[in-house]
Amino acid sequence: MTNPEADMGKHAVQKTWWFGLHPKWHVALIMTVVAAVAIATGAFIFRSQTTSAGATLANPFATNSPFNTTIAGNAQIDPVSQAMIARATRDGQVYASTVEFGIPIYGADRRTPRYTVNCTITYWGPCPFAGKQVPIPNGARPHSGSDGAMVVVDQGANRIYEFWQARNSGGKWTASFGAVNPLDGSGWGGASTGSGASRLGGVVRIAEIERGSIQHALVVQSDNICAGIFRSPAIKTDGNSTRSDCLPEGARLRLDPTLDLSTLQLTSGERTVARALQQYGAFVIDIGGSPLSMSFELDTRAPAGSIGQVYERAGFRWDYDGMSAIPWKRLQVIR
């Protein structure tokens, strides 16, 4: 317990000390305290801005996110790798999903219109958009595939809004489900993909193909996803395969790093993807309709019937281009 009389005596000493000072020192002391608070506050603001400055619309997630870390040169190969890769690459293609299942990615700021977005699936738990005014730019549209995927990044608010089966009817937005993830987080959380990966995570971006460099792990989908089994960093699975060569969600694939890409007749787009697969690999994140497909950003400015000029100049011929010059049999599943 405290002693009230002792506290009163202490306050009296403090009061006497204060009023014993010349008034000009009152001002000086106040200004010193104000300056110190301003410096401390400024330092806090600077630290906060510095912490989040590394994660942007163009370069999302924390630097130590699984998406932003390279694969160690001495990484061990899964004992079942050969069988899993044989099944996943049985048609010699990994399909570039650039249009029907290409991911439309939009930026938002404080001027972007806000909407109440309801989830039509209610038995999965609370809707991630509940209680939020969700920014969705005018003209935004999900892709035309059955996933109805769409991503909106509010960089100022440090949020990624991820929609699964998004719909706009009469100016009102709904989604079957989705996720809201921190832009500077790990890139894993929520239910916008079967594995819990962020829908923004690992997508091959248009600007990356244009500059010929991808500095993050990619993401793939397969028609042979293990039922009931997943690996970190995945947090769940929607797999249904009981085959011994199934791919678990969260598994990381890479292209054999001893493969000399300069000896291959690759398009510039294939070379960019292959180099990223050697350095960063690709995470298995969802069920797909083909043996293996890869997520690309949808070019929302491309005319109807086109995959977009950047993709075309890089040698991609159509939606679901199989990137067949890459020797897909040289993929490996990391243990």
Side-chain angles (χ1 to χ4, degrees), residues 57 106-115 133-138 152-159 161:
L57 172 60
Y106 299 98
D109 56 30
R110 59 186 178 183
R111 297 168 296 180
T112 303
R114 259 64 179 174
Y115 297 87
Q133 286 297 294
V134 180
I136 303 178
N138 292 326
V152 177
V153 179
D154 189 341
Q155 187 170 311
N158 193 42
R159 282 182 174 175
Y161 296 90

Side-chain angles (χ1 to χ4, degrees), residues 4-312:
E5 293 183 358
D7 285 345
M8 288 177 63
K10 179 176 66 177
H11 294 160
V13 171
Q14 292 172 341
K15 193 172 182 180
T16 301
W17 170 83
W18 173 255
F19 284 103
L21 292 174
H22 191 283
K24 70 178 182 180
W25 289 107
H26 292 175
V27 175
L29 282 168
I30 291 170
M31 293 302 294
T32 300
V33 171
V34 170
V37 171
I39 291 170
T41 304
F44 175 76
I45 293 172
F46 178 77
R47 283 196 300 272
S48 298
Q49 290 175 340
T50 301
T51 299
S52 61
T56 64
L57 172 60
N59 300 289
F61 311 123
T63 54
N64 62 349
S65 161
F67 284 115
N68 291 330
T69 57
T70 57
I71 298 174
N74 61 350
Q76 294 185 342
I77 308 303
D78 190 289
V80 193
S81 174
Q82 188 172 356
M84 289 190 284
I85 295 304
R87 180 66 183 175
T89 62
R90 60 190 183 271
D91 58 1
Q93 314 279 320
V94 173
Y95 299 96
S97 297
T98 52
V99 180
E100 185 180 12
F101 285 87
I103 308 301
I105 301 170
Y106 299 98
D109 56 30
R110 59 186 178 183
R111 297 168 296 180
T112 303
R114 259 64 179 174
Y115 297 87
T116 297
V117 179
N118 295 316
C119 294
T120 58
I121 294 178
T122 58
Y123 53 86
W124 285 358
C127 178
F129 310 117
K132 297 178 176 64
Q133 286 297 294
V134 180
I136 303 178
N138 292 326
R141 296 192 307 273
H143 68 209
S144 59
S146 57
D147 282 349
M150 184 173 76
V151 173
V152 177
V153 179
D154 189 341
Q155 187 170 311
N158 193 42
R159 282 182 174 175
I160 310 167
Y161 296 90
E162 306 167 12
F163 306 84
W164 181 60
Q165 296 183 338
R167 291 170 292 274
N168 182 356
S169 178
K172 294 184 178 180
W173 283 93
T174 61
S176 290
F177 216 74
V180 180
N181 280 309
L183 182 60
D184 62 357
S186 70
W188 297 81
S192 60
T193 63
S195 64
S198 167
R199 185 63 279 181
L200 180 63
V203 177
V204 176
R205 308 291 289 274
I206 297 168
E208 293 169 340
I209 291 297
E210 188 166 34
R211 70 171 178 259
S213 176
I214 301 171
Q215 301 297 318
H216 59 77
L218 311 182
V219 288
V220 293
Q221 303 81 31
S222 175
D223 62 1
N224 188 33
I225 298 293
C226 300
I229 301 172
F230 59 91
R231 299 180 181 179
S232 179
I235 59 175
K236 60 188 184 71
T237 182
D238 61 349
N240 54 19
S241 175
T242 57
R243 293 177 57 96
S244 61
D245 57 7
C246 65
L247 284 169
E249 288 183 351
R252 196 171 194 174
L253 315 183
R254 79 170 173 193
L255 188 62
D256 185 348
T258 66
L259 179 64
D260 186 354
L261 301 182
S262 67
T263 64
L264 305 176
Q265 298 297 313
L266 303 174
T267 66
S268 63
E270 289 171 331
R271 184 174 298 105
T272 300
V273 168
R275 189 182 301 118
L277 286 171
Q278 286 184 317
Q279 296 175 328
Y280 291 88
F283 288 103
V284 180
I285 65 161
D286 229 333
I287 288 180
S290 62
L292 212 56
S293 61
M294 184 177 292
S295 294
F296 282 66
E297 180 181 4
L298 173 69
D299 189 341
T300 57
R301 299 182 179 181
S306 169
I307 61 175
Q309 289 185 357
V310 171
Y311 290 138
E312 290 172 350

